[in-house]
Amino acid sequence: MKVAHLVPTLHPGGPETGLVDLAAAAPKAGLELMVVALSTTSDTTQVSALRRLGVPVAELGLAPYDPRAAGRMVRALRERGAELIHTHLPPAEVVGAAAALRMRVPVVSTLHHIENEPADRVDRLRRTARILARQRFMSRTVAISRTQREWYRGLGGPAGDIVVLPDGVVDPGPVDAAERDRVRTILDVGERGTLALSSAPMRRDAGHELLLDAVELIPAATALTVALAGDGPLRPWLESRVAASDALRDRVRFVHRGQDAATLLGSADLVLHTSASGALPTALLRAMAAGVPAVATRVGGVPEIVSADTGVLVPLQPGPIADAIVALAADPARRERLGTAARRRYLAEFEAVGWAQRLRTLYDGVLA
């Protein structure tokens, strides 16, 4: 089955990054993927990864709502014989719906966010328009968590055509012991030290300020290193804050942008996720896949990933976050139990091949 995934951009850090995981698993589900992005990205990491997996990628080089987008999209999809369109995020939904009408193929849309309440009348009108458009043009709307589905229904979204289908990630496999030791040495993690990793994009909504507030509360006697592996516009500010604080400067390391993400995660003892929102954060799915327990804020769909068996849920407050980190840093046996349970749940619920197979079942139903 040939399925075209439409995205606004393929710049790393967006919710569409899961397409690389899906592309790796798609052949086992009988899916042939193609990806079309409205704009062209200067960072080709994700584009290159898709092409290495044999997935055709087209970047149209257009602005999000360029009126030429639908025509160019149709030409790109007809060349590849797309049987179904799957859109991600509002700009791609608009273009995807128009292209699907012209091609007479069905279209599926995935929700990626749980947004805050509308700030004003304009926001409410925009959301209402999106909901009405989905009802009119989308064969199915996919929510990636139960919490997201309830949020969408609360906005007035249709109950009948929304399907809960969580994302998945590729199994990273074990990390070589020598490579793990090398990474920990580079990050200056002591022999008995604990390495805590945050891989969230360095943006205002990712919770880095809260994380640093919590780290400053951790006693000096706790042998802890915190690695910040994300990137983004907030990085210079974060670097300056860390440099200005003795408590942070001694603990926090900024990971080189070229470090392999899977190796870094496999070298960590726990993962930190302190965002104020999230429908089903991929970073936590990757932590589960690597068998690494998480300390995560109790927001959005996070409790559907992190439970008392696989990690620690905390409120959006620096004190409880610091307490949870200290407790896990002092208890390697507990970390191992939580990590083993997290890995087991990942294999049962969030492994990429299973995700691709569930999507195939959804597509079959839409086409039928």
Side-chain angles (χ1 to χ4, degrees), residues 8 34 47 54 147 174 177 215 249 260 268-269 311 344 350:
M34 61 196 78
V47 176
T147 302
V215 172
R249 190 167 55 248
D260 179 68
D269 298 300
R344 186 165 55 244
F350 302 110

Side-chain angles (χ1 to χ4, degrees), residues 15-357:
E16 318 92 307
T17 54
L19 289 179
V20 176
D21 294 88
L22 180 59
K28 293 184 179 179
L31 295 175
E32 184 178 333
L33 266 57
M34 61 196 78
V35 176
V36 182
L38 296 178
S39 65
T40 302
T41 178
S42 58
D43 187 334
T44 59
T45 304
Q46 195 164 314
V47 176
S48 299
L50 287 167
R51 286 176 174 159
R52 282 196 300 272
L53 291 166
V55 175
V57 177
E59 294 183 285
L60 303 183
L62 301 173
Y65 295 101
D66 191 307
R68 298 171 295 174
R72 292 191 184 181
M73 187 76 69
V74 168
R75 287 195 294 273
L77 299 185
R78 281 180 173 161
E79 286 177 3
R80 298 289 179 178
E83 301 170 65
L84 183 144
I85 295 174
H86 192 149
T87 66
H88 306 264
L89 301 177
E93 290 171 5
V94 173
V95 177
L101 283 174
R102 291 173 63 172
M103 296 177 64
R104 296 187 179 182
V105 298
V107 59
V108 172
S109 170
T110 290
L111 302 170
H112 285 280
H113 299 295
I114 296 177
E115 301 171 8
N116 296 325
E117 288 301 312
D120 54 34
R121 183 171 176 270
V122 174
D123 287 334
R124 290 193 292 271
L125 288 173
R126 285 175 178 167
R127 290 191 185 180
T128 299
R130 290 175 192 169
I131 290 170
L132 292 173
R134 285 196 186 97
Q135 288 178 289
R136 172 66 179 84
F137 298 111
M138 301 299 174
S139 301
R140 290 289 187 278
T141 296
V142 176
I144 58 177
S145 67
R146 296 187 301 275
T147 302
Q148 186 184 54
R149 177 185 61 187
E150 297 312 311
W151 163 80
Y152 186 64
R153 285 176 173 174
L155 295 176
D161 288 334
I162 188 163
V163 178
V164 177
L165 203 160
D167 291 344
V169 296
V170 168
D171 190 340
V175 172
D176 179 74
E179 186 66 10
R180 184 178 189 273
D181 291 342
R182 186 189 70 82
V183 169
R184 292 172 71 90
T185 299
I186 290 173
L187 295 175
D188 197 22
V189 182
E191 183 179 348
R192 298 181 181 276
T194 301
L195 176 59
L197 172 68
S198 170
S199 58
M202 294 178 182
R203 304 187 302 246
R204 286 289 178 187
D205 59 350
H208 289 90
E209 300 97 324
L210 177 60
L211 174 57
L212 295 182
D213 288 345
V215 172
E216 283 187 311
L217 298 177
I218 294 175
T222 301
L224 175 74
T225 299
V226 177
L228 302 184
D231 201 3
L234 203 61
R235 183 167 182 139
W237 181 86
L238 292 171
E239 290 175 339
S240 65
R241 176 173 173 184
V242 169
S245 168
D246 291 340
L248 296 177
R249 190 167 55 248
D250 292 340
R251 294 191 187 280
V252 178
R253 308 285 184 266
F254 288 87
V255 178
H256 189 275
R257 292 173 176 85
Q259 175 65 55
D260 179 68
T263 301
L264 183 62
L265 183 55
S267 304
D269 298 300
L270 58 98
V271 162
L272 308 178
H273 186 85
T274 54
S275 176
S277 64
L280 200 80
T282 302
L284 292 175
L285 298 182
R286 297 197 191 283
M288 293 179 73
V292 181
V295 173
T297 43
R298 190 184 290 105
V299 297
V302 171
E304 297 177 38
I305 308 174
V306 179
S307 65
D309 295 328
T310 64
V312 180
L313 288 170
V314 291
L316 286 162
Q317 300 170 15
I321 295 171
D323 291 342
I325 295 172
V326 170
L328 281 180
D331 195 342
R334 184 186 177 201
R335 293 201 306 268
E336 184 173 358
R337 288 195 305 272
L338 294 174
T340 299
R343 168 78 178 166
R344 186 165 55 244
R345 187 175 176 199
Y346 154 76
L347 291 171
E349 300 181 35
F350 302 110
E351 198 273 327
V353 173
W355 175 36
Q357 290 170 341

